[in-house]
Amino acid sequence: MKLFSVGFWEAVARIILRNRGGIICVIFAATIFWGMQWHKMRFSYTEANLLPDDHDVNLKYNAFLDIFGDEGNLVIIGVKDTALFTVEKFNAWNRLSDQLKTYDEVETVVNISDLQKLIKNKKEKKFDLEPFIRDSIASQEAIEALRDDLFNNYPFYDNFLFNKETQTIRSAIYLKKEIVNTAVRRDFILDTFEDKIQEFRDQTGLDVRVSGMPYIRTLNAQLITNEISSFILAALGVTSLIFFFFFRSFRATFISMIVVCIGVMWTFGILGCLEYEITVLTALIPPLIIVIGIPNCIFLINKYQHEVKKHGNKARSLQRVITKIGNATLMTNVTTASGFATFIFTNSKLLQEFGTVASLSILAIFFLCLLIIPIIYSFMPMPKEKHLQHLGKNWINNFVDWMERMVKHRKITIYVTSLILLIGSIIGIYQIRISGSLIEDMPRQSEFFKDIRFFEQEFNGIMPLEIMIDTKRKKGVMKLATLKRMNQLEALILETPELSKPLSVVGLVKYAKQAYYNGNPKYYQLPTAQENSFILSYAKKSSGDLDLLKNFVDSTGQYARITTFMKDVEIEKMERIEEDLSAKIAKVFPSEKYNVTITGKPYVFQKGTYYLVKNLVVSLALAILLIALFMAYMFRSFRMIIVSLIPNLLPLLITAGLMGFIGVPIKPSTILVFSIAFGISVDDTIHFLAKYRQELKANHWRIRKSVFNALRETGVSMFYTSIVLFFGFSTFIISSFGGTVALGALVSTTLLFAMLANLLLLPSLLLALERSIANKKVLKEPNFRIIPEEEDDKAK
């Protein structure tokens, strides 16, 4: 017996309709079970790591974290306002820093009031630390004297806590590293820190800017949380309106909404059960299930109403809904799920989780539709005539007539248009750029994004780029030869406009020399070999008091770090910067004596983007291969595989070309478009070819009649579902995240092109190649029937 035969689906129909109460109870119990898993859901507290755990870049980054701890624990606040330099407001600024120090979540705060002068102590041959500000400042003259002294005599602090050219002041708040990737950080930022900053703004009228990776990540995650409910409501609202417009039935619309809402509940349950984090990607799955689930409802309800209109027998109509649509809907959902499941093979944890939950949820919504819709309709009265009126709407018939005329008389126009679009797309593809920016997808209208730009302008960036130097011996960092090599590398960083002034032990040693020469700023430079021994002897006696030293050198003195902050730059500039740094490192640090590593979150994210592009190309190729194999199994014809793939690959190429022309880069969010759109668009191809195969046999291999019958039969449902998918994915445009907006717009565009390709290009290809593909030898009996043969309807 053939797999998924008519007999199989007849048995399924009997089981469903004879056990309605039991099945509803099982669904209700399963929904309760999945609802009980919701408490396990948690939101992501870290940046997306696109690389596998064992990737070399990840291993180097983790090695850096093991030695120096998480570098993403810095929150910065800044003010660019001359009003700050008044007695009242300057003291308020210092009090704010003192108050922040009292919180358990804060490790330390570095503010102007905390700065220490290195003072040479000749008697004890060491450096003493003397605060710039001992108590609150009482006069405007004292503030002016402090500002003049600090801005003109202490280059070590310039571009760290102030920008002397623009008079911008900032403070650095270091959170405890153990809370950085936990919910404690989120609660502190949202509930305590934000309130404290707003209170200061209200009291002083100063525009305080806030940034830093912990702060950005927290507000970004909060926006994702807020958008989940917005997406779900928007998807429900848009799809239900379109559904009602097509069917003009509150009953059908309400039933469909019940089904997809249960599907969303199951999706959240799957997320909780698997204990996956809710990220910017997994947050898209619930509305995605609504958008994909509604077409299932359309096919089932449309078939039920067609059957009722044909013979008026409710029991037979429900049975035929399952036997005729069940197999086709299963196959289309399997192909869609397969498109998402290919993400599992990318070796990226983020995408693996997205692919797993999405594919399981798609299969779940199929079973819910197949079970709930026939069962609910079995308890309801027959549809009234007004519920069936949409089946004969003139505008739908006009649309089908237009498609038929185009395929009959304008095949050359269709081919030429397709060819022009293909050529244009290839030109556009060559203009696509790749983006590896951590913040590109963040909401550009949000205050925290504007603050990112503020600190980029004032301090050349906030994205930490780290260079770790392994001297391969204990206390090797403080050797003068090492310090000189580090200074040469820092000179290149200073010359790079996309990077901020570097922070390292080199600056401390320069500051120590300045202090040795009684604070004269012209001596802010590395000591000579002759000076080095006695200056460092002063520093060693004072090292217990120099807290900054431990941030740049490990406890053994073998490892040093150079920290710089990077602007949000294009990936091409990032690559150039990396090449320049790597060339300088290779020249300055001989590999036999030093091991130098470039790392940091922006660097890891850039490498992850390239890795993702490579793996998602493989993923898309795998999706195409899987669906081609499915077509081969279904039709057993190589030519049919090619014919079926062309209308689905062309829209992907058109979308890729559009991305090149309008400047949408390839990035983690936009590259998902191709696998998602291909997995969904191929459903229409399957529906059309399955009906075509049935018509071909019923019409004794008369090709033209079979093509146009298939076009009329499936065209309406394909149009309905494509419109729902188009507007459903368009709801993602309401997102404040650029990547989500691009994903929604691009998938919608791709599916629109795919609909036109399947309704115009596919039948045209079948007619043009009819002699080579549409005959008994090529179109053998399939391994299984997707759509059962029509039954005799004389008995009612």
Side-chain angles (χ1 to χ4, degrees):
M1 186 175 73
K2 297 180 187 292
L3 182 63
F4 300 130
S5 65
V6 177
F8 170 81
W9 285 104
E10 287 176 346
V12 170
R14 284 195 300 271
I15 292 170
I16 293 174
L17 296 175
R18 290 177 181 177
N19 300 277
R20 298 174 297 173
I23 291 173
I24 292 297
C25 289
V26 170
I27 292 174
F28 183 73
T31 304
I32 292 176
F33 169 77
W34 291 122
M36 292 171 64
Q37 308 303 311
W38 290 7
H39 73 279
K40 298 179 184 177
M41 289 191 300
R42 64 189 191 280
F43 290 90
S44 176
Y45 301 114
T46 62
E47 289 89 1
N49 192 340
L50 307 176
L51 293 169
D53 293 339
D54 58 352
H55 194 279
D56 183 58
V57 172
N58 254 346
L59 294 176
K60 289 179 179 178
Y61 181 62
N62 290 330
F64 169 82
L65 297 182
D66 289 340
I67 295 170
F68 290 105
D70 196 314
E71 101 279 24
N73 67 327
L74 173 64
V75 177
I76 50 178
I77 56 176
V79 173
K80 183 181 181 180
D81 191 334
T82 54
L84 175 66
F85 298 102
T86 58
V87 174
E88 181 183 353
K89 292 182 179 180
F90 194 77
N91 286 330
W93 176 257
N94 293 334
R95 284 196 301 273
L96 174 64
S97 296
D98 292 338
Q99 291 168 0
L100 292 173
K101 290 176 188 175
T102 63
Y103 294 109
D104 294 335
E105 296 84 357
V106 175
E107 183 177 277
T108 186
V109 177
V110 182
N111 179 49
I112 284 182
S113 61
D114 301 299
L115 296 187
Q116 306 279 321
K117 295 180 184 179
L118 279 180
I119 304 297
K120 181 180 179 182
N121 186 331
K122 292 183 179 180
K123 183 177 180 181
E124 298 184 21
K125 294 187 177 180
K126 70 169 188 173
F127 295 119
D128 292 331
L129 292 172
E130 180 181 300
F132 278 86
I133 303 172
R134 294 188 180 276
D135 298 305
S136 60
I137 293 181
S139 67
Q140 188 65 36
E141 290 76 14
I143 289 180
E144 296 302 328
L146 170 66
R147 182 164 61 169
D148 182 66
D149 184 31
L150 192 60
F151 286 2
N152 296 318
N153 297 325
Y154 292 92
F156 176 71
Y157 294 117
D158 188 21
N159 277 312
F160 174 51
L161 289 184
F162 60 84
N163 181 333
K164 70 178 182 181
E165 294 181 0
T166 64
Q167 306 284 293
T168 304
I169 299 293
R170 70 176 179 177
S171 295
I173 299 105
Y174 292 89
L175 303 182
K176 290 182 178 176
K177 293 176 180 178
E178 58 267 24
I179 73 154
V180 169
N181 295 322
T182 69
V184 176
R185 180 207 75 210
R186 178 200 63 196
D187 296 339
F188 171 71
I189 294 289
L190 295 178
D191 299 335
T192 305
F193 181 78
E194 281 274 81
D195 290 345
K196 183 58 67 175
I197 297 300
Q198 189 57 48
E199 180 185 328
F200 177 81
R201 289 182 180 126
D202 294 339
Q203 288 177 353
T204 63
L206 294 172
D207 182 18
V208 181
R209 305 299 188 102
V210 187
S211 199
M213 292 309 298
Y215 183 79
I216 294 170
R217 284 155 57 185
T218 301
L219 269 63
N220 208 41
Q222 188 64 27
L223 279 174
I224 294 172
T225 305
N226 296 338
E227 284 196 351
I228 290 179
S229 56
S230 300
F231 278 153
I232 292 173
L233 291 174
L236 279 173
V238 169
T239 53
S240 60
L241 282 174
I242 297 172
F243 191 96
F244 181 77
F245 176 76
F246 286 151
F247 285 89
R248 300 303 173 109
S249 169
F250 287 108
R251 181 166 68 183
T253 305
F254 183 67
I255 292 171
S256 300
M257 291 305 104
I258 289 176
V259 173
V260 294
C261 285
I262 294 174
V264 169
M265 295 172 70
W266 284 29
T267 297
F268 282 125
I270 293 170
L271 273 168
C273 185
L274 296 175
E275 297 186 6
Y276 288 165
E277 292 181 339
I278 295 180
T279 64
V280 71
L281 286 185
T282 51
L284 297 178
I285 298 177
L288 198 66
I289 293 306
I290 296 172
V291 174
I292 293 174
I294 288 295
N296 287 342
C297 299
I298 287 175
F299 275 111
L300 291 165
I301 295 175
N302 202 41
K303 182 62 179 175
Y304 172 64
Q305 294 182 349
H306 266 291
E307 291 292 330
V308 168
K309 187 174 183 178
K310 183 186 292 186
H311 53 71
N313 187 315
K314 184 170 79 169
R316 177 181 292 181
S317 299
L318 292 171
Q319 186 263 344
R320 287 193 176 185
V321 165
I322 299 169
T323 56
K324 291 189 174 185
I325 301 298
N327 210 8
T329 310
L330 173 61
M331 293 305 103
T332 55
N333 279 267
V334 165
T335 55
T336 302
S338 298
F340 285 91
T342 54
F343 294 136
I344 298 171
F345 302 99
T346 60
N347 289 326
S348 168
K349 184 180 177 183
L350 182 75
L351 285 176
Q352 286 174 345
E353 293 179 356
F354 175 74
T356 300
V357 177
S359 55
L360 289 175
S361 298
I362 289 167
L363 294 176
I365 195 68
F366 159 73
F367 285 110
L368 287 171
C369 291
L370 186 68
L371 295 172
I372 294 176
I373 288 177
I375 289 175
I376 290 181
Y377 271 107
S378 71
F379 288 109
M380 289 183 145
M382 288 278 287
K384 298 178 181 178
E385 185 61 32
K386 65 179 182 179
H387 297 143
L388 307 179
Q389 288 177 355
H390 71 94
L391 298 174
K393 287 289 184 183
N394 289 332
W395 69 273
I396 289 292
N397 292 330
N398 292 337
F399 175 71
V400 175
D401 291 341
W402 173 79
M403 290 189 299
E404 192 171 311
R405 286 196 304 271
M406 290 294 294
V407 175
K408 275 183 180 178
H409 307 298
R410 299 294 181 90
K411 286 195 291 293
I412 300 300
T413 303
I414 293 171
Y415 298 147
V416 171
T417 302
S418 300
L419 184 61
I420 292 172
L421 288 172
L422 177 62
I423 294 171
S425 300
I426 293 172
I427 295 172
I429 287 170
Y430 279 100
Q431 300 179 43
I432 291 181
R433 63 184 180 87
I434 297 175
S435 170
S437 168
L438 261 174
I439 67 171
E440 180 160 349
D441 283 344
M442 292 180 182
R444 296 177 180 269
Q445 299 306 313
S446 64
E447 286 301 318
F448 74 83
F449 189 88
K450 294 175 183 176
D451 288 352
I452 290 173
R453 295 303 190 207
F454 170 81
F455 284 106
E456 281 187 348
Q457 181 178 348
E458 296 298 319
F459 295 96
N460 275 24
I462 58 160
M463 303 295 172
L465 184 67
E466 301 283 355
I467 301 172
M468 185 171 72
I469 297 146
D470 177 8
T471 62
K472 299 184 179 181
R473 54 178 173 170
K474 291 184 177 181
K475 300 182 179 180
V477 172
M478 300 308 291
K479 299 292 183 183
L480 186 59
T482 302
L483 296 172
K484 285 183 176 180
R485 296 178 195 276
M486 291 174 65
N487 192 48
Q488 291 180 57
L489 182 58
E490 289 189 11
L492 175 62
I493 294 173
L494 286 169
E495 293 170 2
T496 306
E498 295 83 7
L499 300 178
S500 70
K501 176 185 173 182
L503 301 173
S504 75
V505 68
V506 171
L508 282 171
V509 173
K510 289 179 179 179
Y511 188 20
K513 179 175 178 178
Q514 178 186 351
Y516 186 81
Y517 286 100
N518 300 314
N520 190 333
K522 77 175 185 178
Y523 289 102
Y524 183 75
Q525 55 188 256
L526 283 178
T528 63
Q530 186 177 11
E531 296 168 327
N532 189 51
S533 58
F534 49 84
I535 289 178
L536 287 184
S537 68
Y538 270 67
K540 286 176 183 178
K541 291 180 182 179
S542 314
S543 60
D545 299 322
L546 296 176
D547 290 337
L548 284 174
L549 189 64
K550 67 181 181 181
N551 290 322
F552 301 117
V553 183
D554 79 313
S555 58
T556 67
Q558 178 177 333
Y559 296 92
R561 70 190 282 192
I562 298 175
T563 300
T564 181
F565 295 92
M566 188 175 66
K567 289 182 178 179
D568 177 38
V569 296
E570 296 179 353
I571 202 165
E572 292 82 4
K573 284 187 178 180
M574 178 77 175
E575 288 179 319
R576 178 182 57 77
I577 292 169
E578 181 191 355
E579 289 172 3
D580 291 345
L581 290 175
S582 297
K584 190 71 171 180
I585 288 167
K587 182 179 179 180
V588 173
F589 293 91
S591 58
E592 64 274 10
K593 293 184 178 179
Y594 300 94
N595 184 19
V596 183
T597 302
I598 300 175
T599 188
K601 282 187 169 64
Y603 182 81
V604 173
F605 192 82
Q606 176 221 332
K607 296 298 181 184
T609 300
Y610 269 124
Y611 182 85
L612 198 61
V613 170
K614 174 184 172 184
N615 276 267
L616 283 175
V617 168
V618 174
S619 171
L620 179 59
L622 180 60
I624 293 171
L625 176 62
L626 285 174
I627 292 170
L629 290 174
F630 173 74
M631 293 293 188
Y633 182 66
M634 187 170 71
F635 293 108
R636 298 192 292 171
S637 166
F638 178 76
R639 293 189 182 107
M640 285 296 289
I641 295 172
I642 301 301
V643 168
S644 64
L645 288 179
I646 288 173
N648 293 290
L649 293 178
L650 180 61
L652 300 185
L653 294 173
I654 293 172
T655 300
L658 280 174
M659 290 173 65
F661 284 124
I662 64 179
V664 177
I666 290 287
K667 50 187 175 180
S669 51
T670 56
I671 201 168
L672 297 175
V673 168
F674 302 103
S675 293
I676 291 174
F678 183 79
I680 295 174
S681 66
V682 80
D683 294 353
D684 283 346
T685 307
I686 292 173
H687 274 289
F688 182 86
L689 290 179
K691 185 61 183 174
Y692 168 67
R693 173 64 183 77
Q694 184 192 69
E695 291 290 334
L696 200 60
K697 187 173 182 181
N699 292 297
H700 306 291
W701 307 97
R702 284 181 288 179
I703 293 97
R704 293 182 67 81
K705 184 176 182 180
S706 300
V707 167
F708 292 119
N709 283 356
L711 189 60
R712 254 180 201 286
E713 178 77 16
T714 60
V716 174
S717 290
M718 288 165 65
F719 176 74
Y720 279 4
T721 55
S722 296
I723 294 300
V724 169
L725 288 167
F726 176 82
F727 284 104
F729 276 102
S730 295
T731 59
F732 292 164
I733 296 174
I734 68 172
S735 173
S736 53
F737 292 90
T740 306
V741 171
L743 177 67
L746 291 171
V747 171
S748 297
T749 302
T750 308
L751 292 177
L752 189 61
F753 280 121
M755 178 193 73
L756 294 173
N758 279 304
L759 290 175
L760 298 174
L761 182 59
L762 178 58
S764 298
L765 289 173
L766 290 172
L767 289 174
L769 304 174
E770 60 184 87
R771 291 184 179 179
S772 60
I773 66 170
N775 56 68
K776 293 182 182 180
K777 184 177 179 181
V778 174
L779 280 178
K780 305 169 187 175
E781 185 69 16
N783 283 298
F784 58 89
R785 291 193 183 97
I786 294 181
I787 301 178
E789 302 298 332
E790 291 293 336
E791 301 172 31
D792 184 9
D793 291 319
K794 290 180 181 180
K796 294 187 182 180

